[in-house]
Amino acid sequence: MHPAARQLLDQVTADPAAPLRLAVVAPGGYGKSVLLAALDRCYRAAGVEALLVDDADRLGPDQLEELLTGADGPIVVAHRPAAVASSWTLLQLGPLGVEDVAQLIAAVKGAPAEPAAAAELHARSGGVPRLAERELLGRLEDFRPELDELDDDVLRYLIAAEAGAGRNLDLLCALLDRGPDQLPSIVDAARATGLLGPDDALLPLAAAAIRDFGPPARRLTTVQRLVELQLANGLPVLELARSLLGTGSSGASAAAAFAAAAAEALPSDARLATRLFEAAAEAGDRSSAVTAGWARATALSGDLDTALRLGDGMLGAPDPETRAAGAAIAATVLAHRGELARSAELYHWASRSAETMTSGDGLAGGRHSAGNGVPAGAGTPGGAGDTGFPTGTRLLGDGAWAGADAFAAIALVGTGDLDGARRLLDAPAPGVAPTLFAGAATRMARGIADSVSGCATETLSTLLGAAAMLEPALGGTLLPDSPAALAALAALHTGELALAEPVLTRALDGGIGGDLLSVRHRLLLGWVAMTAGDLATAAEHRNAVAGRTLEARDELFFATLELGLARRASDLVGLQRSWHRAYQASMRQQTDLFTLLPLGELAIAAARTGAFAKISGQLERAHTLLARLGEPPLWTVSLVWHELHAAITLEDADAAKAHLATLAAHAHCGRYPSALATAAQCWLSVLGGTFAPDTIASAAAEMHDLGLRWDAARLAGQAAIRTSDRKAMVQLLEAARQFQGTAARREQGTSEPAAAGTGLAALSERELEVARLVVDGLTYKQAGSKLFISGKTVEHHMARIRGKLGAADRRELLATLRELLSRPDAP
């Protein structure tokens, strides 16, 4: 009960016979009836005859005057806001405070209320007692008869407010067919219902009551009328149309509303756009525009099966524009499924269909096909300014022509046809508007084309610039790949990890490419972290997409990321388990330029698991692809570096020397190829047992500076355990621990020295006992018997010791322990 009401009751209880002419004024639901009932009990108990009148606002002035005539005892009249005679005492009831709501909860639930629960209920109810109580009792449906009885204008106003039009005065006047001077009386009546807050906005619980329990037919006709008015004035309809979802609304106006709203939603919420496009189709709009928009929205949401089904259905349409849109959608889907060659063919088909819109003879004047038959100008939905496909809108905006050309060119480079891609990009595109999207997409494609023949630094700069240009123009655009992903791949292949991470993070945060590309951006961030030796962060990115249904390309990157993490953690069981998934993923993905990193990781894992022969065909196809492109250093050296380590694992000296020769041939092409070539030479010299420790340390330091911290630590560590020079061993072990410690600090997010830097002081007393016994040559079982623990427990101790000392594997761990335990100051 409101504090002012309690005070009044206390006064009446103390002096029930005191003369009183009181008007209790408040909107509906504020507790007027509850107060009158309490006063009635109070007066009856005191034997005082009092006149109590509830809902006095429903009585006419004459009726009320007649009722009050002759009353000589206390008089209390309750009514909704209205003028009160000066001779009357006025008691206005306001909303409850948070503490009052807490008391209400305690009274209803029979237990003290949690402060957070009271605050939440207060926010949802606005402190209106009736709303709060009905929410607590689960009885919002009690509003149904009350809403049915409301004046028609008031009900329509409340429905409009719930639909989001409560502050649009022009729209409300048109809806209610009232002039601006007549609207205030309707608003006053709406306030009197107790469903509006102080700012005249519907309270959350009131909005739920109107939405769920208002007269369905009246709500439907009111919202549809609002939509018609908005469409007629060319104004946004998204919020209004959203409120129609699930109502079964159909017909031309509903379909138009859903289609227009879907176009509004597409740039920022593809899932909502999907529902709206589907609703438009169910409402009766089966046009190509709605079908194309629906396909785009489902693809952006990650539902490629539905997108491909819808796009494929458009390929048989009689008009070329629909065919072009369907082909472009299918081309984009297939690119995500690892079918770049087929994707390029469909872009070709889309271009031929689209060109008939500007030429009557099939191919528009002078535009010719590329080397493999892919013509310039392949169409795809999604140019700048083309945010959706509402009825009456062209399926392919002019700005999309250049975008399709770019996507087709990227696919051609990815499959090894550089000449075809260049002819495609160099072909004139008359009539194409020089939009931000068109220019940036072409720049992105040229960057990829130049990556196989130009300077790596310039290529990366071009791709990063294209990503920055495209970011503001990509809302609702369906992309076969994102400029951020391509830039990150180039950065990974050139050792520029510091450039890869921010461009991917911006793309992920900005929702570039919708849910469809968010997985790709996340996985590439995982690859960047893993390559840098930050295994904890890499695992976080992997876990963020684990359990989701992945398309072929994403599945390959996910599975090989798991492989790489298991390999770097010396987790042989995890490596074996992950191998099968990664191999299966590679078999579903056609070998292309943009999947060489996963293929390289797969090669090392195959060598470790004894299955290298299974992927020999894929490696051969990869090198055939690279040969067609002229063995571009940017794309070649990373794959060969991985193959070198696979050959080392297989103890295939001839293959290792061949890979070293390839790396040496590219060493002049930049710092990264040079560093890998030097490191490769060092690896072979280490394995051969003849190496200069200073050279090894220098090569490892160069790799560390490039961000390859795990590789740097492993090279130094392996050299340390293979040298007979004690001084060199100590030097290399210290370098390995330092490089490994950098990665560990990155994982921990701290600049404090890693545990590896503290040596034996980092170990517990029991761990020291275990370490001494194992270094002395005892097996885990024998060491356990001496310490009266199990061999498994010894193994767990050794795993913790390896983590504390930063050793890459068991051999490095034993070498480190021998060196540390042999020192004079060893405990």
Side-chain angles (χ1 to χ4, degrees):
M1 183 176 291
H2 192 275
R6 292 197 201 98
Q7 185 178 3
L8 172 65
L9 277 175
D10 291 341
Q11 292 174 357
V12 170
T13 301
D15 188 6
L20 183 65
R21 293 178 69 84
L22 176 70
V24 181
V25 179
Y30 276 67
K32 300 185 301 297
S33 298
V34 173
L35 175 58
L36 258 64
L39 288 172
D40 183 57
R41 290 192 296 274
C42 183
Y43 280 124
R44 287 181 182 275
V48 175
E49 185 176 345
L51 177 61
L52 307 178
V53 183
D54 200 0
D55 294 326
D57 49 284
R58 297 187 179 185
L59 302 174
D62 294 338
Q63 292 177 294
L64 182 57
E65 183 63 30
E66 182 180 350
L67 186 63
L68 298 178
T69 300
D72 52 7
I75 302 175
V76 180
V77 176
H79 58 75
R80 297 187 178 186
V84 177
S86 59
S87 59
W88 287 67
T89 300
L90 176 63
L91 175 62
Q92 288 187 312
L93 299 181
L96 300 177
V98 175
E99 293 183 0
D100 300 313
V101 170
Q103 293 179 15
L104 177 62
I105 294 174
V108 173
K109 299 293 187 180
E114 292 290 336
E120 181 182 0
L121 181 57
H122 181 269
R124 286 172 52 77
S125 66
V128 177
R130 178 175 58 180
L131 283 172
E133 185 176 9
R134 287 184 178 177
E135 168 76 354
L136 286 171
L137 297 174
R139 289 171 47 189
L140 286 182
E141 70 273 11
D142 286 355
F143 279 105
R144 193 189 305 275
E146 297 176 17
L147 293 173
D148 285 340
E149 295 176 3
L150 283 178
D151 174 79
D152 187 62
D153 284 345
V154 173
L155 178 59
R156 285 193 293 164
Y157 172 85
L158 292 173
I159 292 172
E162 187 275 325
R167 298 187 181 278
N168 190 327
L169 298 183
D170 291 338
L171 188 60
L172 289 171
C173 287
L175 171 70
L176 301 173
D177 194 22
R178 296 288 190 274
D181 58 330
Q182 298 171 302
L183 194 59
S185 62
I186 298 175
V187 176
D188 287 340
R191 292 188 187 116
T193 64
L195 301 178
L196 301 181
D199 59 352
D200 284 342
L202 269 177
L203 296 168
L205 286 177
I210 292 169
R211 181 174 58 252
D212 298 335
F213 305 112
R218 175 55 71 193
R219 180 173 183 274
L220 185 59
T221 56
T222 299
V223 176
Q224 283 191 331
R225 178 58 180 157
L226 286 170
V227 169
E228 292 170 1
L229 291 168
Q230 287 288 83
L231 286 175
N233 291 287
L235 298 173
V237 296
L238 177 57
E239 292 306 316
L240 293 172
R242 189 206 299 258
S243 67
L244 287 175
L245 286 172
T247 64
S249 184
S250 62
S253 63
F258 286 134
E264 290 180 43
L266 189 57
S268 58
D269 192 341
R271 292 183 183 275
L272 175 59
T274 297
R275 295 175 59 202
L276 289 164
F277 275 123
E278 185 175 8
E282 291 176 350
D285 188 346
R286 303 302 174 89
S287 66
S288 299
V290 165
T291 302
W294 188 2
R296 284 177 63 191
T298 55
L300 286 167
S301 301
D303 182 4
L304 294 191
D305 288 338
T306 300
L308 190 59
R309 173 178 59 81
L310 293 170
D312 188 65
M314 298 166 66
L315 295 179
D319 63 289
E321 191 174 15
T322 301
R323 293 197 301 270
I329 289 168
T332 307
V333 170
L334 290 177
H336 284 269
R337 292 188 163 173
E339 299 281 353
L340 283 189
R342 178 60 177 155
S343 176
E345 291 176 7
L346 278 167
Y347 277 126
H348 168 208
W349 200 87
S351 177
R352 290 175 62 89
S353 296
E355 285 180 347
T356 63
M357 295 184 290
T358 57
S359 172
D361 58 358
L363 290 178
R367 299 187 69 186
H368 55 278
S369 61
N372 70 340
V374 179
T380 184
D386 175 25
T387 57
F389 292 119
T391 305
T393 301
R394 290 192 63 187
L395 303 187
L396 288 176
D398 289 337
W401 284 83
D405 289 345
F407 302 151
I410 291 169
L412 290 174
V413 175
T415 54
D417 187 358
L418 177 60
D419 292 338
R422 289 210 181 279
R423 282 195 293 270
L424 183 61
L425 290 172
D426 293 340
V432 175
T435 62
L436 178 66
F437 177 87
T442 300
R443 181 177 179 181
M444 174 177 66
R446 291 192 184 280
I448 290 296
D450 291 342
S451 72
V452 301
S453 58
C455 172
T457 303
E458 292 179 1
T459 294
L460 189 54
S461 176
T462 299
L463 291 172
L464 289 171
M469 287 177 64
L470 279 173
E471 283 174 6
L474 288 182
T477 303
L478 183 60
L479 300 170
D481 207 348
S482 80
L486 293 175
L489 280 174
L492 279 163
H493 278 275
T494 56
E496 296 285 359
L497 305 184
L499 296 177
E501 184 176 0
V503 72
L504 288 169
T505 300
R506 285 198 306 272
L508 187 63
D509 293 343
I512 301 300
D515 290 348
L516 181 60
L517 279 172
S518 68
V519 172
R520 180 152 174 76
H521 296 147
R522 177 75 71 179
L523 288 172
L524 285 173
L525 278 169
W527 265 85
V528 171
M530 179 180 73
T531 305
D534 187 354
L535 306 188
T537 299
E540 288 175 5
H541 288 302
R542 175 202 61 190
N543 295 340
V545 300
R548 296 182 58 170
T549 301
L550 303 178
E551 296 299 332
R553 183 174 64 189
D554 292 336
E555 171 70 9
L556 178 62
F557 275 85
F558 177 90
T560 51
L561 177 60
E562 284 202 318
L563 270 183
L565 289 172
R567 177 169 72 88
R568 287 162 176 79
S570 300
D571 180 4
L572 296 180
V573 174
L575 189 75
Q576 186 69 47
R577 182 177 61 250
S578 301
W579 153 256
H580 297 290
R581 179 173 180 177
Y583 174 68
Q584 292 172 8
S586 72
M587 296 301 290
R588 293 195 296 272
Q589 164 79 46
Q590 296 298 313
T591 302
D592 62 53
L593 193 66
F594 311 123
T595 56
L596 296 182
L597 279 176
L599 181 58
E601 192 62 50
L602 190 68
I604 298 176
R608 294 284 297 272
T609 58
F612 191 76
K614 283 189 173 185
I615 66 165
S616 59
Q618 296 180 54
L619 290 170
E620 182 178 345
R621 287 191 291 275
H623 283 288
T624 299
L625 169 66
L626 290 169
R628 289 183 64 192
L629 295 171
E631 300 288 344
L634 187 149
W635 299 101
T636 302
V637 294
S638 291
L639 176 63
V640 177
W641 170 256
H642 284 86
E643 288 179 300
L644 171 75
H645 285 280
I648 290 172
T649 301
L650 294 170
E651 300 182 354
D652 187 340
D654 292 338
K657 290 177 181 177
H659 296 318
L660 173 60
T662 301
L663 291 171
H666 291 299
H668 67 283
C669 297
R671 182 186 178 191
Y672 187 69
S674 175
L676 291 188
T678 301
Q681 179 64 64
C682 288
W683 265 109
L684 294 189
S685 64
V686 165
L687 296 176
T690 56
F691 59 89
D694 289 343
T695 302
I696 301 297
S698 176
E702 177 70 1
M703 297 188 73
H704 178 270
D705 288 345
L706 284 167
L708 305 178
R709 297 172 179 84
W710 185 87
D711 291 276
R714 187 163 179 263
L715 174 59
Q718 290 296 314
I721 64 178
R722 285 175 168 81
T723 182
S724 58
D725 184 332
R726 179 177 176 81
K727 181 178 179 181
M729 179 180 68
V730 172
Q731 175 191 351
L732 289 168
L733 279 174
E734 183 62 30
R737 286 195 295 270
Q738 185 178 25
F739 297 153
Q740 187 77 11
T742 304
R745 288 195 297 275
R746 283 172 58 86
E747 292 184 30
Q748 298 163 3
T750 175
S751 59
E752 293 299 319
T758 63
L760 296 179
L763 306 185
S764 68
E765 184 177 345
R766 175 47 61 93
E767 287 169 347
L768 277 171
E769 292 175 333
V770 169
R772 289 186 184 280
L773 292 173
V774 173
V775 167
D776 287 343
L778 273 66
T779 66
Y780 289 166
K781 184 176 181 180
Q782 291 168 338
S785 297
K786 283 186 171 291
L787 298 173
F788 302 100
I789 58 178
S790 69
K792 195 69 175 177
T793 301
V794 172
E795 182 180 357
H796 290 164
H797 281 306
M798 289 298 289
R800 285 196 294 270
I801 293 169
R802 183 164 72 87
K804 289 182 178 181
L805 297 183
D809 52 32
R810 176 179 166 80
R811 291 178 64 184
E812 183 180 329
L813 173 61
L814 292 177
T816 301
L817 286 172
R818 289 191 187 99
E819 191 274 328
L820 292 173
L821 290 170
S822 65
R823 291 179 177 178
D825 59 346

